[in-house]
Amino acid sequence: MAEVTYPCYWEKKDNSGQWYWIYYAKNGKAIARSSESYHNRSDCTHSIGLLQNSKDDPIFYTE
């Protein structure tokens, strides 16, 4: 297994056998988790790709 470097996404299985991801910051702390679990690891990986490709999407806020 490769040495883990940060920042990174980590795909894991929950107790029911479904896949989810956790995003770890540069300091190694978990800062985000997928909002759903996936039956297929490929679907989990796809959701990570969606996030990685959204860096130029607009950010909205309310005060």
Side-chain angles (χ1 to χ4, degrees):
M1 185 168 157
E3 182 178 339
V4 177
T5 59
Y6 299 99
C8 70
Y9 289 89
W10 196 303
E11 295 177 320
K12 299 182 178 191
K13 278 191 173 183
D14 61 21
N15 292 335
S16 64
Q18 294 193 336
W19 292 94
Y20 66 98
W21 56 260
I22 298 175
Y23 180 73
Y24 291 90
K26 192 174 189 176
N27 63 4
K29 296 194 183 240
I31 61 170
R33 186 197 188 283
S34 56
S35 60
E36 60 184 290
S37 296
Y38 305 90
H39 291 286
N40 301 309
R41 183 175 175 210
S42 61
D43 294 330
C44 184
T45 303
H46 177 72
S47 71
I48 292 171
L50 292 173
L51 288 174
Q52 291 173 326
N53 292 327
S54 69
K55 67 179 180 60
D56 295 325
D57 290 351
I59 300 171
F60 297 95
Y61 66 94
T62 57
E63 292 186 31

